[in-house]
Amino acid sequence: MAPLKPYAGPVRKLVLGIDVGTTYSGISYAILDPGEVPKIQGVTRFPGQENAAGDSKIPTILYYRPDGTVHSAGAEAAVPGIELDAEDEDLFLSKWFKLHLRPEHLDSNEVNRRDLPPLPTGKTVVQVFADFLEYLVSCTQRYITSTHASGESLWNSLKDQIDFVLSHPNGWEGLQQGKMRQAAVLAKLVPDNAAGHARIHFVTEGEASLHFCVQSGLTTSSIETGESVMIVDAGGGTVDISSYSFTSTTPISVEEIATAECIMQGSTRVNVRAEKFLKERLKNSAYGNEEDIKTMLDYFDKFTKPVFKDSNETSYIKFGSMGCNDPKVKIRRGQLQLTGAEMESFFQPALDSIVATVQRQRQTASQPITTVFLVGGFAASPWLFNGLQKTLQERGMALCRPDTHTSKAVSEGAVSFYLDRFVSARLIRTTYGVSCNHDYVPNDPEHATRTLWRIIRPSGRVVLPNGFSPILTKGTRVREHQEMSRCYFREAREQRTLNRISTSITCYKGNAPDPHWMDVESEMYTPLCTIHADTSKVTRTPRQGSNGTYYVQVYNIILQCGLTELKAQISWTQDVSR
């Protein structure tokens, strides 16, 4: 286990690590006292889950009233009899809402919005996310005030000094982080100003899981031998796969050695395939109605799926009374029978996808990887663990899984990330740049096809629009606080048109090594953010062109890319005479 360092901050504060998962969520925290070594603790008691004290996760679900207010959330939305209340009060169940935040390109062949449970009428995903964040923090307040000595005064003294670390899948980017920050503001976790925004931090689930493994002592042998490790965080919605190398042991320093990946093959996809199977099998049965299938899926998710371990065993789904029989579809005494092969068909695509991604990441890694750690809620599946262990052993890799509490890996790891950032270098997952004009080259065949789009600038330059200028390319290794910049210029006939600048940072998600045009693979380009600046005092140089005087303004676009959150800035040389 890597010992935490004494907290070096000047004042006491509280940090919360929040893991809003697709199916289950958890919270960990640490009270930071100057000069003292922090202790990472989990919230292990939630409303509606009093009989399961010690459980560190609650269901990621909410019931909404017809007027849009929250009726219940978490474990309180899963208490016995809640379905009857929902029917009587016309409540709407919101689940898997986190997946509505995902980037559209992320594993789009596997998941599309039609597959996802709908959001409540009149609610955006940001609003639902905010409602659940607000609920989680209220649970944390209740836990801390009832668990710690003088808990009420402790919370009141720290509630305005809370830093929040929100985890998200590897495949999420600036747009998703921005929406999560909006949700945190909407939930009143922080005020909507620069100081409030600075109290929201982000960490990928892969990196948070690495921190958990290190702090839990799971990677001790790997650290001692200087080996590299791969983290497979198998959750409800996504499976996040990341690879790291330990470059130093004292202090611990880790570098990412392959581009982190995210695949939409979490445990919920097993449910989706089971649902499709049941609807097809029961389409001509009296038990193929919506209510019975919902009951079957609930039982499947809670009891059948978690214990399935072998294709040689028969599985059962209980759903009705002893009088429910239909031999043609293998229903007997209120139980539907599933063969091992049928059960395996629900899981197999997830295993195949994980293995393919592990193999691809291993091949692209800059150092050999022989050890894989499996964490996350889906890691508890005996079939997934056994199948992955056997397949990886055949490829010369050892699979390790913590004995307990893999479900709290991300929330605890998020707090650890805040306290002691092990990862000193990361690989960029996508290419970032800006739109631009390319100088027109008549004898370039590609330019010749764009002749009709030529534009003449004030200088007399002939340019072509729809160009792309990369600033930071996919696969680049960057260190914390490292900046990447590129110089650009604008020209205009009148000086006043150079008084303001607005530039959009664009992501390119394709595989072309040198993306050049934004109208080629246009679906692969998505806006990340827009930078606005007052450039009225920026130097503009007068020049003579073929059509008279024009002005040139030079500036730099800077990307701060070594952290888990990308930041963009514009810099320039100021004209002191203006």
Side-chain angles (χ1 to χ4, degrees):
M1 179 181 292
L4 292 171
K5 301 172 185 175
Y7 175 56
V11 295
R12 190 184 214 191
K13 69 189 308 183
L14 174 65
V15 57
L16 298 186
I18 301 179
D19 170 26
V20 177
T22 302
T23 52
Y24 287 91
S25 297
I27 316 168
S28 296
Y29 68 95
I31 298 169
L32 310 182
D33 287 305
E36 295 189 15
V37 177
K39 179 183 178 183
I40 300 175
Q41 304 177 74
V43 176
T44 56
R45 189 169 57 249
F46 293 92
Q49 211 160 266
E50 289 83 1
N51 63 332
D55 200 335
S56 58
K57 284 221 169 183
I58 57 171
T60 309
I61 55 175
L62 305 98
Y63 269 110
Y64 283 93
R65 299 183 182 92
D67 64 0
T69 58
V70 176
H71 172 276
S72 53
E76 292 178 286
V79 295
I82 190 69
E83 293 88 352
L84 298 177
D85 291 340
E87 187 176 322
D88 293 340
E89 300 177 40
D90 194 23
L91 304 180
F92 181 92
L93 176 63
S94 181
K95 64 176 184 177
W96 302 4
F97 58 84
K98 174 182 175 180
L99 297 182
H100 285 275
L101 263 182
R102 67 179 180 83
E104 289 291 347
H105 71 278
L106 189 60
D107 219 347
S108 55
N109 292 333
E110 178 63 31
V111 181
N112 59 56
R113 298 216 178 266
R114 292 191 302 273
D115 291 332
L116 303 179
L119 294 170
T121 302
K123 289 275 187 178
T124 67
V125 64
V126 171
Q127 291 171 318
V128 177
F129 209 94
D131 288 336
F132 200 73
L133 282 177
E134 184 176 8
Y135 178 76
L136 287 176
V137 174
S138 71
C139 291
T140 306
Q141 177 182 355
R142 186 181 306 188
Y143 181 82
I144 289 177
T145 54
S146 64
T147 303
H148 291 262
S150 304
E152 195 74 42
S153 60
L154 173 67
W155 179 266
N156 289 333
S157 68
L158 295 175
K159 64 181 180 181
D160 295 324
Q161 301 289 333
I162 302 176
D163 274 23
F164 299 89
V165 187
L166 306 181
S167 63
H168 61 76
N170 289 350
W172 289 17
E173 298 152 351
L175 181 62
Q176 287 71 43
Q177 291 175 337
K179 290 182 177 180
M180 291 172 71
R181 183 180 281 110
Q182 289 175 30
V185 170
L186 192 61
K188 297 182 174 57
L189 271 58
V190 296
D192 191 10
N193 54 38
H197 292 187
R199 287 165 48 202
I200 301 293
H201 310 265
F202 298 101
V203 63
T204 63
E205 290 171 4
E207 192 165 322
S209 297
L210 169 73
H211 273 266
F212 171 79
C213 290
V214 171
Q215 289 294 356
S216 301
L218 301 173
T219 57
T220 301
S221 60
S222 298
I223 294 174
E224 290 175 351
T225 58
E227 293 180 357
S228 300
V229 299
M230 185 179 294
I231 308 291
V232 176
D233 177 15
T238 61
V239 179
D240 296 285
I241 301 175
S242 318
S243 298
Y244 302 93
S245 175
F246 292 93
T247 57
S248 170
T249 57
T250 311
I252 293 177
S253 181
V254 182
E255 292 189 1
E256 201 171 39
I257 57 173
T259 303
E261 297 191 57
C262 175
I263 53 177
M264 302 294 292
Q265 285 291 357
S267 62
T268 56
R269 304 314 301 166
V270 177
N271 295 33
V272 169
R273 287 186 281 270
E275 180 178 12
K276 184 178 179 181
F277 174 89
L278 290 174
K279 286 182 176 179
E280 177 61 27
R281 171 182 278 191
L282 302 176
K283 63 184 179 182
N284 296 318
S285 170
Y287 305 106
N289 60 80
E290 184 176 336
E291 186 175 335
D292 279 337
I293 288 181
K294 180 183 180 299
T295 303
M296 292 179 194
L297 288 171
D298 287 344
Y299 187 92
F300 174 86
D301 184 55
K302 294 175 183 176
F303 303 105
T304 311
K305 181 178 72 172
V307 300
F308 175 64
K309 63 181 182 296
D310 193 311
S311 61
N312 294 319
E313 66 183 31
T314 301
S315 296
Y316 295 91
I317 299 176
K318 294 181 181 180
F319 73 96
S321 67
M322 294 286 284
C324 295
N325 295 283
D326 189 342
K328 293 180 180 178
V329 292
K330 299 183 179 179
I331 291 177
R332 183 183 177 191
R333 296 186 178 181
Q335 297 187 76
L336 183 143
Q337 178 183 316
L338 294 168
T339 66
E342 289 166 342
M343 282 291 293
E344 200 165 59
S345 70
F346 308 149
F347 286 83
Q348 192 67 49
L351 177 61
D352 293 344
S353 188
I354 293 170
V355 170
T357 307
V358 166
Q359 190 70 0
R360 180 170 61 249
Q361 197 162 121
R362 187 188 191 192
Q363 291 170 349
T364 59
S366 58
Q367 296 185 34
I369 302 172
T370 57
T371 304
V372 178
F373 289 95
L374 180 65
V375 298
F378 197 15
S381 164
W383 187 92
L384 180 67
F385 175 73
N386 293 337
L388 191 56
Q389 184 180 54
K390 178 183 177 183
T391 306
L392 294 185
Q393 280 179 346
E394 294 169 353
R395 290 163 169 77
M397 304 177 79
L399 182 69
C400 307
R401 178 180 61 173
D403 289 337
T404 57
H405 303 306
T406 60
S407 61
K408 68 176 183 176
V410 173
S411 63
E412 282 202 5
V415 178
S416 174
F417 162 82
Y418 180 91
L419 298 174
D420 192 0
R421 300 184 178 183
F422 302 140
V423 180
S424 59
R426 299 177 178 86
L427 296 179
I428 297 301
R429 299 179 182 88
T430 190
T431 295
Y432 299 96
V434 295
S435 61
C436 68
N437 295 324
H438 289 312
D439 286 327
Y440 176 60
V441 181
N443 59 359
D444 185 320
E446 193 173 25
H447 286 214
T449 63
R450 299 170 177 267
T451 300
L452 295 177
W453 300 339
R454 290 175 299 175
I455 299 172
I456 299 177
R457 303 299 296 143
S459 62
R461 291 170 55 235
V462 181
V463 299
L464 294 173
N466 298 321
F468 182 68
S469 173
I471 300 173
L472 184 60
T473 56
K474 180 179 178 179
T476 302
R477 184 185 301 277
V478 293
R479 298 193 173 276
E480 282 206 352
H481 309 297
Q482 183 177 347
E483 295 181 347
M484 307 291 284
S485 67
R486 191 160 182 173
C487 185
Y488 297 92
F489 70 92
R490 299 190 297 164
E491 56 182 72
R493 293 197 183 284
E494 297 183 17
Q495 293 194 55
R496 62 183 177 82
T497 60
L498 300 176
N499 285 344
R500 294 198 64 80
I501 188 171
S502 178
T503 300
S504 292
I505 305 299
T506 299
C507 303
Y508 169 69
K509 300 182 176 67
N511 296 314
D514 183 24
H516 213 54
W517 302 102
M518 292 183 65
D519 54 4
V520 176
E521 292 186 296
S522 58
E523 72 281 1
M524 292 295 175
Y525 292 90
T526 56
L528 174 66
C529 65
T530 302
I531 319 170
H532 304 278
D534 178 352
T535 52
S536 58
K537 297 186 183 302
V538 178
T539 301
R540 64 279 309 270
T541 306
R543 293 182 182 174
Q544 291 298 316
S546 57
N547 296 314
T549 302
Y550 68 97
Y551 299 88
V552 173
Q553 189 178 68
V554 178
Y555 61 95
N556 295 296
I557 295 179
I558 302 172
L559 299 182
Q560 295 177 314
C561 43
L563 301 172
T564 54
E565 183 179 9
L566 187 81
K567 295 183 179 180
Q569 296 176 329
I570 293 177
S571 72
W572 58 78
T573 301
Q574 187 160 319
D575 185 350
V576 294
S577 66
R578 297 184 65 84

